[in-house]
Amino acid sequence: MVVGKSFNKGSTAQLNSWMGKIKEMITVKSISDLRHSRADYPSPVGLVPTMGFLHDGHLSLVERAREECASVVVSIFVNPTQFGPQEDYGAYPRDIPQDLEQLKQHGVDLVWIPETEQLYPPGFQTWVKVDELSHHLEGEMRPGHFQGVTTIVTKLFNAVQPDKAFFGQKDAQQTIIVKRLVKDLNIPVEIVVCPIIREIDGLAMSSRNVYLDPDERLAAPVLFRALKTAESAFQNGVDDADRLREIVVDTINGEPLAATQYVSCANPDTLEELSGPIQQGLLSMAVKFGKTRLIDNILIGK
Ligand code: AMP
């Protein structure tokens, strides 16, 4: 069945309730099953790529997709090529039954749980790389990470062929790189960036938060506190990028369990570090608590 491109928001609720009556959520593994099922869904089709172990941050993307699209596809795939050799690929938390239950409750149409061997067949040697943007920040700390991300995102887009794809501001650099990717490769998908969802104490939701021990969990909101302190300084006239970075570093240094990896105040388009007076900037950081590495960010002046 095909619904024309003239589909608009007004008809979303109607269509959703109609689809709810006739369609159950479908889960597929192979690319051929995905393509077969995908063909039945009305446009616009929204894709929410995830690595699973879903929380309210992921679900906010699903809800946004539900609002803006006639059909919602969620992929769950812990992508090995975006993890470094010393990183947590093997230990990354997984709970497919719980994920499926949550996605069902959120009215998702199609869940794709790809098999690693199909996405990375023997002899695999083709990569998608976004050059300069991938070298900064997370790319500097995690060599090869973004090549893994941009390769898998391209493969997900090729397979699902979504009209829109939903990403979280939580991974700010990833959103900037994925936007560059679709522009440079002329991939016909609109990238929608959704706000960071936080715990009540300000800690950005993340699948990796489960690694934190109770003391680290209590300490972790220092990331958001540091960003908010710098943001209010900016609002009160402190517009020097170096000073703003310093404010973030000082706040984090006040927390003994936190070990800063980097603090950045960068141009939100190019990701180049800023210095001197600024009108806007992306304040971001990576901080370790024991073995757990957390990231967070805030856009100031935008
Ligand atoms: P992941 O499963 O960690 O790869 O995340 C899948 C998507 O969910 C990415 O686009 C993330 O940016 C997004 N996401 C993760 N955590 C949050 C959060 N706390 N708020 C909003 N989006 C998030």
Side-chain angles (χ1 to χ4, degrees), residues 49-51 55 57-58 61 167-168 170-171 174 195-197 205:
T50 80
M51 297 204 300
H55 50 67
H58 297 110
L61 271 52
F167 290 85
K170 163 88 187 338
D171 297 280
Q174 173 171 275
I196 302 176
I197 304 299
M205 289 190 182

Side-chain angles (χ1 to χ4, degrees), residues 3 15 29 61 79 82 104-105 156 169 187 189 248 256:
V3 171
L15 189 60
K29 283 186 170 181
L61 271 52
N79 174 36
Q82 70 188 68
K104 203 168 175 180
Q105 281 168 15
L156 299 176
Q169 175 65 23
I187 303 177
V189 59
V248 175

Side-chain angles (χ1 to χ4, degrees), residues 5 19 48 53 66 76 80 83 107 115 126 130 135 197 205 240 244 261 272 287:
K5 289 275 179 192
M19 288 199 40
V48 181
F53 207 67
R66 194 70 282 172
I76 302 177
F83 289 77
E115 280 157 345
T126 306
V130 174
H135 297 149
I197 304 299
M205 289 190 182
D240 182 82
L244 291 167
Q261 282 202 332
E272 273 155 16
V287 177

Side-chain angles (χ1 to χ4, degrees), residues 186-205:
N186 309 100
I187 303 177
V189 59
E190 181 190 334
I191 304 303
V192 181
V193 179
C194 307
I196 302 176
I197 304 299
R198 298 179 178 281
E199 302 287 356
I200 205 112
D201 57 8
L203 175 63
M205 289 190 182

Side-chain angles (χ1 to χ4, degrees), residues 1-237:
M1 191 208 77
V2 176
V3 171
K5 289 275 179 192
S6 61
F7 182 88
N8 60 42
K9 262 193 172 182
S11 55
T12 308
Q14 228 178 341
L15 189 60
N16 288 347
S17 82
W18 171 77
M19 288 199 40
K21 284 189 193 103
I22 63 155
K23 281 210 161 130
E24 289 294 309
M25 185 176 85
I26 292 174
T27 303
V28 292
K29 283 186 170 181
S30 71
I31 296 182
S32 57
D33 284 352
L34 168 78
R35 291 204 168 117
H36 185 75
S37 299
R38 158 72 175 87
D40 290 340
Y41 289 105
S43 298
V45 169
L47 171 66
V48 181
T50 80
M51 297 204 300
F53 207 67
L54 304 178
H55 50 67
D56 285 352
H58 297 110
L59 297 172
S60 73
L61 271 52
V62 170
E63 279 163 21
R64 180 79 172 268
R66 194 70 282 172
E67 277 166 32
E68 294 192 15
C69 298
S71 313
V72 178
V73 180
V74 173
S75 59
I76 302 177
F77 182 60
V78 184
N79 174 36
T81 65
Q82 70 188 68
F83 289 77
Q86 310 301 327
E87 293 182 0
D88 57 343
Y89 173 67
Y92 195 83
R94 293 159 167 92
D95 190 343
I96 295 287
Q98 191 179 305
D99 290 347
L100 292 178
E101 191 49 46
Q102 297 196 81
L103 294 176
K104 203 168 175 180
Q105 281 168 15
H106 281 78
V108 167
D109 300 296
L110 184 57
V111 182
W112 180 28
I113 309 178
E115 280 157 345
T116 310
E117 307 72 44
Q118 200 178 22
L119 286 181
Y120 295 108
F124 180 88
Q125 54 187 288
T126 306
W127 299 96
V128 179
K129 192 164 87 178
V130 174
D131 252 330
E132 283 168 30
L133 291 171
S134 301
H135 297 149
H136 303 285
L137 309 173
E138 287 298 287
E140 206 175 327
M141 303 303 302
R142 305 179 68 189
H145 169 68
F146 284 116
Q147 176 172 296
V149 169
T150 43
T151 301
I152 192 65
V153 167
T154 305
K155 288 162 77 66
L156 299 176
F157 286 173
N158 276 342
V160 177
Q161 304 202 348
D163 299 287
K164 297 187 178 198
F166 296 80
F167 290 85
Q169 175 65 23
K170 163 88 187 338
D171 297 280
Q173 187 174 10
Q174 173 171 275
T175 66
I176 293 162
I177 290 174
V178 170
K179 281 184 181 168
R180 187 74 249 171
L181 163 75
V182 301
K183 201 170 200 172
D184 288 354
L185 294 187
N186 309 100
I187 303 177
V189 59
E190 181 190 334
I191 304 303
V192 181
V193 179
C194 307
I196 302 176
I197 304 299
R198 298 179 178 281
E199 302 287 356
I200 205 112
D201 57 8
L203 175 63
M205 289 190 182
S206 163
S207 306
R208 290 190 168 100
N209 290 350
V210 292
Y211 297 150
L212 298 167
D213 74 23
D215 289 338
E216 291 165 349
R217 175 62 191 84
L218 276 177
V222 72
L223 273 73
F224 187 53
R225 233 174 25 247
L227 293 170
K228 291 303 274 182
T229 307
E231 182 189 50
S232 58
F234 180 76
Q235 285 162 351
N236 288 315

